[in-house]
């Protein structure tokens, strides 16, 4: 279906053109008409599916003109805030709406000054938004549309008390859009307070981004992980590789070690300030840095095209993070490869991941690598680990909460 059949007006269709999109992604096809009707929407969609434009475009069309803030997007990370800002600025070019993002890690006053000057489309991370509210540098009493972007992440990162305070400052009558990669019990628990009789959209199910990615498990002993990684990177000469570690410290150390071995590399994690993160992402985008080492906290903010490989140097502790990590490759229809190192200590993590994605990932050895003897249990031989909760689909649970499911394609 072409964009022009979704109900967008001429100005927004020009915005679509400026963004360089030819045809809508599934989430855009479903969400744009729903948002345009003015109803609340709950959309279950991963980053990488085109969800940003799915809310930005219809919002710009139906919000009324400034000078007060009419549209508010709350998102968990600075990277996401600045990406949403970019999409909105491009899409809004012909509409007369003014867009800005506010987030922490950069000086307060310039943002406050610009916000006081008057914007009608505000993108914000919760902490900075609260600061601005406390200092009365902005008011939210004219907000017509609220987006909670990556609602599951907002919860995971402990932002819910902040979000509640923000909700308190919003007018009661407003349109609510909630986007979340997963509809965990936690997310569904907060829906009742936030959205009213929403249209429920689940696009592509949870497996879609995973389907496009070629996934491999490389069994290896812990002591050989580093050597295997170096040999893998040197052998594959990948274009852009994203490596995930479990901790900030490991990310930092790994980046240093790879650098010493002549691999152009940088690290990005929660301890890095905004400028450092942006610099690293910019270098990665431009191809100056071939390898970026990251932790899960920043994973969702990494919107870089052309990532050929995602390497899970450490298995993620949370199986859903596996899906978020590997979703950084195979963006918008491209293909990519995800490689996960498996040590004997991480077999349970792999078992949880395989349960979540519903398939066993193929084991491979790196050709020519001198493996020492390995004894790594098969994940399907392991008994189930007690007490571990795994996301098992949002739609059915959502029905229990009385959320209507929108008819149409998956
Ligand atoms: P998002 O899920 O919003 O983070 O978008 C993921 C990526 O898909 C971004 O790089 C977008 O620029 C791109 N994208 C979004 N919508 C489209 C579209 N309709 N056609 C092509 N690329 C798109």
């Amino acid at each position: 279906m072409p964009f022009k059949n979704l109900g967008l007006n001429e100005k927004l269709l020009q915005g679509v053109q400026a963004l360089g999109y030819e045809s809508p992604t599934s989430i855009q096809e479903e969400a744009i008409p729903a948002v345009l009707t003015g109803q609340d929407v709950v959309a279950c969609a991963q980053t990488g599916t085109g969800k940003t434009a799915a809310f930005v475009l219809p919002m710009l069309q139906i919000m009324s003109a400034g000078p007060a803030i009419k549209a508010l997007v709350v998102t968990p990370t600075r990277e996401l805030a600045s990406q949403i800002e970019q999409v909105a600025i491009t899409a809004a070019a012909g509409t007369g709406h003014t867009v800005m993002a506010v987030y922490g890690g950069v000086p307060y006053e310039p943002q406050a000054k610009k916000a006081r000057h008057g914007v009608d489309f505000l993108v914000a991370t919760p902490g900075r938004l609260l600061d601005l509210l406390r200092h009365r540098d902005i008011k939210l009493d004219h907000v017509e549309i609220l987006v909670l972007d990556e609602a599951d992440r907002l919860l995971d990162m402990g932002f819910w008390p902040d979000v509640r305070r923000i909700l308190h400052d919003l007018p009661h009558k407003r349109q609510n859009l909630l986007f979340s990669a997963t509809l965990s019990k936690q997310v569904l628990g907060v829906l009742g307070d936030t959205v009213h009789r929403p249209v429920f959209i689940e696009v592509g199910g949870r497996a879609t981004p995973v389907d496009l990615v070629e996934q491999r498990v490389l069994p290896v002993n812990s002591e050989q992980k580093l050597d295997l990684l170096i040999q893998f990177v040197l052998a594959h000469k990948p274009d852009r590789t994203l490596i995930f570690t479990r901790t900030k410290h490991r990310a930092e150390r790994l980046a240093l070690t790879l650098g010493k071995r002549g691999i152009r590399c940088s690290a990005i994690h929660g301890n890095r300030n905004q400028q450092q993160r942006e610099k690293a992402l910019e270098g990665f985008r431009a191809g100056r840095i071939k390898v970026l080492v990251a932790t899960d906290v920043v994973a969702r903010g990494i919107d870089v095209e052309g990532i050929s490989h995602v390497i899970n140097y450490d298995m993620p502790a949370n199986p859903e993070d596996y899906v978020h990590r590997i979703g950084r490759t195979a963006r918008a229809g491209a293909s990519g490869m995800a490689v996960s190192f498996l040590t004997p200590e991480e077999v349970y993590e792999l078992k949880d991941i395989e349960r979540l994605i519903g398939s066993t990932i193929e084991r491979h050895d790196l050709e020519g690598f001198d493996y020492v003897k390995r004894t790594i249990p098969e994940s399907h031989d392991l008994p189930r680990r007690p007490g571990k909760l795994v996301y098992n689909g949002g739609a059915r649970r959502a029905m229990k909460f009385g959320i209507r499911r929108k008819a149409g394609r998956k």
Side-chain angles (χ1 to χ4, degrees), residues 213-279:
V213 182
E214 184 186 340
Q215 300 169 72
R216 294 181 176 186
V217 163
L218 266 59
V220 62
N221 286 333
S222 316
E223 316 82 74
Q224 283 201 298
K225 255 189 181 179
L226 181 63
D227 290 337
L228 182 65
L229 178 72
I230 290 168
Q231 193 153 327
F232 184 92
V233 173
L234 295 177
H236 280 75
K237 296 198 178 36
D239 249 1
R240 278 194 194 84
T241 299
L242 187 57
I243 303 177
F244 283 101
T245 63
R246 212 171 28 235
T247 65
K248 299 177 223 175
H249 185 63
R250 281 172 70 78
E252 198 62 39
R253 241 186 14 204
L254 187 60
L256 275 176
T257 313
L258 292 178
K260 282 186 194 148
R261 302 284 184 106
I263 297 166
R264 269 181 294 155
C265 170
S266 192
I268 165 170
H269 50 69
N271 273 8
R272 287 270 160 128
N273 68 30
Q274 178 70 359
Q275 264 172 348
Q276 291 169 318
R277 286 195 208 182
E278 266 167 16
K279 192 167 163 239

Side-chain angles (χ1 to χ4, degrees), residues 36 98 172 293:
L36 288 176
T98 44
H172 199 64
V293 188

Side-chain angles (χ1 to χ4, degrees), residues 54-73:
F55 58 78
V56 165
L57 291 166
M59 283 167 82
L60 286 167
Q61 178 157 325
I62 57 175
M63 61 190 274
S64 54
I69 296 167
K70 301 292 172 60
L72 173 66
V73 180

Side-chain angles (χ1 to χ4, degrees), residues 3 21 23-25 28 46-52 303 305 331-332:
F3 269 107
Y21 304 160
S23 53
T25 63
Q28 291 161 1
Q46 307 273 357
T47 297
T49 54
K51 69 179 175 64
T52 311
D303 179 21
E305 280 177 29
R331 311 275 287 173

Side-chain angles (χ1 to χ4, degrees), residues 138-153:
I138 55 163
K139 277 189 177 168
L140 298 177
D141 43 11
H142 288 92
V143 169
E144 299 164 348
I145 314 174
L146 166 75
V147 181
L148 294 181
D149 178 47
E150 308 237 339
D152 49 350
R153 201 63 165 181

Side-chain angles (χ1 to χ4, degrees), residues 46 204-215 320 322-324 326-327 329-330 336 338 353 356-359 361:
Q46 307 273 357
R206 64 200 151 98
T208 302
V210 180
D211 288 344
L212 293 165
V213 182
E214 184 186 340
Q215 300 169 72
E320 283 166 16
Y322 176 80
V323 180
H324 299 312
I326 76 169
T329 178
I353 290 164
L356 175 73
I357 64 172
S359 61
I361 306 169

